[in-house]
Amino acid sequence: MASKPSIPKGTRDFSPSEVSKRNYIISVIRNHFENFGYQPIETPSFENSDTLMGKYGEEGDRLIFKILNSGDYLDKVAADELQNINFKQLTPRISEKALRYDLTVPFARYVVQHQSEIEFPFKRYQIQPVWRADRPQKGRFREFYQCDADVVGSTSLWQEVELVQLYDAVFSDLGLNGVTIKINNRKILSGIAEVIGASDKLIDFTVALDKLDKIGEEGVKKEMLEKGISEQAIQKVQPLFNFTGTILEKITKLSDLLSTSDEGKKGIEELQFICENVSKLGLQKAILDLDVTLARGLNYYTGAIFEVAAPKEVAMGSIGGGGRYDDLTGIFGLKNMSGVGISFGLDRIYLVLEELNLFPKTVTSGTKVMFLNFGDAPAFEAMQAIQKLRAQNIKAELYPDNAKIDKQFKHAEKRGIPFVVKEIEAENYTLKNIVSGEQVQVTLSELVNKL
């Protein structure tokens, strides 16, 4: 007996309605990407393993899907070696490629590989799926789309200002009120680690701090202690656990805390420039907020860090994020190439719009009119009319089989097709509204106008 078909955990099938809604979000994002001057590129679904490994920290590396070499992938490993070899030593020998984890590292590889063809600063956008071997849960999948916009080849902080505006433009167009764009700066985190005497534990410190909203103050302190950060150092950052006030008030508090750190002061200057100019230019619907606990565990951010929170009435993780990564292309041999970018979490945005009932009804509208089939001769006449309707961008189709009329009507009802053409006689069309039951006779031009 054949086994019941299934799909891997963390992946999904999408119905026609779901695909239409996803396409709607993508079209809004793409439209604003292009309005802001970003150009589209695409990269392969999988990369060489050494392109991806070591770029996301230890946690990220564990979540990369490795692809087994084709053929006899154990051919290069001697049988006696298999008794003693561990998985870290074995993996590079049996897997030379991996599914991409995000779009930023492949973009950095693209820039380095195509640098002679690119006009800098280069503004690119990319809308493609990525894969992560994560534990599936609400809003977290193993296969999902990212929608990224990045600028590479400019250190100007006006790019950060513009990216905040880009977030605001997209979420305003989608009708999302109350979205919070959280901002921080990696230099501030480095400065804090420096003033508390934990510079050598910067990554451990920031990763733990980033979990404040998930595991709470005590959980963060416990993790910091476990990572070797002293009780005294943790005491010095106590103000960060209850960091409230306006952006200006928070910057003032940070200035006091980081008065002895040049790196920290540089981070404050950058934050102040971005926040002041965003405030002067204004936002439509989004709220900009300084969140000093925002760390994003990725190793490559060096300046501004962004994370977007959904409206408070929706229980959802971040729906976007990004930051500046001055040194990212350096890992592929191209030095002094600064970049900054943001990402939109398509799947989570979908869930938020669905929960708040924000999808326009027209998004899922399918065929507008179906012509009944009474045999080949009438079907030919129907197809002539259908051609003309389609030329006017009216979605129309012919029921393919000369089946019973009841069956054809039921098909239209189940598909949600609102109109049916019952018959054609002397270039007059009998049009029935399935919802209201109203029936009229119209010419072809009248049919076009009515639909």
Side-chain angles (χ1 to χ4, degrees):
M1 184 178 171
S3 61
K4 189 178 176 182
S6 63
I7 58 173
K9 283 182 181 176
T11 65
R12 295 150 296 161
D13 289 321
F14 297 103
S15 69
S17 166
E18 289 167 329
V19 171
S20 297
K21 289 174 178 178
R22 286 162 62 84
N23 286 346
Y24 160 70
I25 299 170
I26 289 170
S27 70
V28 169
I29 294 172
R30 182 182 285 115
N31 179 52
H32 286 289
F33 281 168
E34 293 181 356
N35 277 350
F36 277 66
Y38 293 84
Q39 302 172 78
I41 68 162
E42 290 190 358
T43 59
S45 298
F46 54 93
E47 297 271 352
N48 292 324
S49 294
D50 56 9
T51 299
L52 304 178
M53 297 300 288
K55 312 303 189 299
Y56 305 102
E58 198 176 325
E59 235 174 288
D61 280 357
R62 284 201 302 270
L63 301 181
I64 292 172
F65 275 110
K66 285 80 173 176
I67 300 172
L68 285 175
N69 295 339
S70 55
D72 185 359
Y73 54 84
L74 285 172
D75 185 45
K76 295 176 184 175
V77 186
D80 58 331
E81 274 189 274
L82 288 174
Q83 305 299 318
N84 305 309
I85 201 166
N86 65 43
F87 82 95
K88 283 188 178 177
Q89 296 168 316
L90 181 63
T91 301
R93 298 177 66 177
I94 64 172
S95 170
E96 294 163 4
K97 299 174 187 68
L99 292 175
R100 62 172 171 240
Y101 175 92
D102 72 353
L103 299 178
T104 307
V105 170
F107 171 55
R109 190 267 309 151
Y110 175 94
V111 168
V112 175
Q113 203 169 333
H114 298 273
Q115 57 189 286
S116 60
E117 308 151 31
I118 292 172
E119 171 60 30
F120 294 102
F122 179 45
K123 298 173 79 171
R124 85 82 167 89
Y125 78 83
Q126 202 170 343
I127 302 174
Q128 288 187 279
V130 299
W131 294 266
R132 295 183 185 178
D134 219 339
R135 186 171 63 84
Q137 52 187 282
K138 185 184 176 183
R140 180 172 289 173
F141 307 101
R142 287 176 171 169
E143 178 185 61
F144 57 97
Y145 268 78
Q146 281 190 339
C147 310
D148 283 14
D150 289 77
V151 188
V152 69
S154 169
T155 58
S156 170
L157 293 174
W158 285 111
Q159 305 292 358
E160 276 87 337
V161 172
E162 187 177 75
L163 288 169
V164 173
Q165 291 179 311
L166 177 54
Y167 266 140
D168 179 50
V170 169
F171 290 121
S172 296
D173 205 354
L174 291 171
L176 264 179
N177 293 312
V179 164
T180 301
I181 303 165
K182 298 177 184 177
I183 186 171
N184 196 13
N185 193 295
R186 208 49 196 258
K187 295 182 179 75
I188 286 173
L189 293 167
S190 298
I192 294 168
E194 183 188 331
V195 298
I196 66 170
S199 291
D200 59 330
K201 302 277 186 185
L202 174 63
I203 297 298
D204 291 333
F205 170 75
T206 54
V207 167
L209 191 63
D210 195 29
K211 295 176 183 174
L212 183 61
D213 60 337
K214 299 181 187 76
I215 62 176
E217 181 179 336
E218 292 311 312
V220 170
K221 287 179 177 178
K222 182 170 178 282
E223 186 168 322
M224 285 182 176
L225 286 168
E226 286 169 357
K227 295 291 184 180
I229 297 167
S230 71
E231 187 82 56
Q232 189 182 3
I234 295 169
Q235 204 58 43
K236 287 181 182 177
V237 295
Q238 182 62 39
L240 300 183
F241 295 116
N242 295 290
F243 208 66
T244 56
T246 65
I247 289 177
L248 185 60
E249 289 167 346
K250 290 176 180 177
I251 285 174
T252 303
K253 289 177 188 175
L254 281 174
S255 298
D256 294 339
L257 182 64
L258 299 173
S259 59
T260 59
S261 168
D262 290 340
E263 178 85 346
K265 285 191 279 191
K266 176 67 176 162
I268 290 170
E269 282 172 26
E270 291 179 8
L271 257 183
Q272 201 157 2
F273 179 91
I274 298 162
C275 295
E276 281 181 4
N277 283 292
V278 168
S279 177
K280 287 175 188 173
L281 289 164
L283 296 174
Q284 298 173 64
K285 292 185 176 179
I287 302 154
L288 183 65
D289 186 36
L290 167 54
D291 182 354
V292 78
T293 69
L294 178 61
R296 297 185 68 82
L298 304 178
N299 285 350
Y300 48 72
Y301 291 131
T302 54
I305 311 164
F306 300 106
E307 190 164 280
V308 183
K312 287 174 182 170
E313 60 265 35
V314 183
M316 183 65 65
S318 66
I319 56 174
R324 182 166 284 278
Y325 43 89
D326 285 346
D327 307 324
L328 188 63
T329 53
I331 56 181
F332 297 120
L334 183 61
K335 302 291 183 186
N336 304 316
M337 184 63 72
S338 184
V340 61
I342 58 172
S343 180
F344 290 82
L346 172 66
D347 298 282
R348 289 186 177 183
I349 293 168
Y350 179 105
L351 292 172
V352 171
L353 294 183
E354 188 86 315
E355 192 165 327
L356 296 176
N357 198 26
L358 290 174
F359 282 108
K361 288 185 170 57
T362 52
V363 166
T364 54
S365 61
T367 297
K368 194 75 179 284
V369 61
M370 187 185 85
F371 286 67
L372 300 185
N373 190 326
F374 295 98
D376 288 344
F380 182 77
E381 276 189 86
M383 287 299 288
Q384 287 178 306
I386 286 167
Q387 272 186 316
K388 290 169 183 172
L389 290 172
R390 287 173 178 165
Q392 298 295 321
N393 288 319
I394 296 168
K395 297 171 184 173
E397 63 179 90
L398 170 73
Y399 189 83
D401 304 312
N402 181 9
K404 289 180 179 178
I405 300 304
D406 278 357
K407 183 177 180 181
Q408 296 190 47
F409 264 111
K410 279 177 184 170
H411 178 77
E413 285 171 7
K414 286 177 180 176
R415 289 268 312 280
I417 299 170
F419 293 98
V420 162
V421 171
K422 290 175 65 180
E423 57 185 321
I424 307 169
E425 195 173 324
E427 296 189 3
N428 281 314
Y429 300 80
T430 304
L431 180 70
K432 182 166 184 175
N433 183 322
I434 290 185
V435 179
S436 68
E438 180 195 359
Q439 190 167 296
V440 290
Q441 272 207 332
V442 290
T443 64
L444 184 60
S445 62
E446 289 169 339
L447 181 63
V448 168
N449 290 334
K450 198 159 184 69
L451 294 173

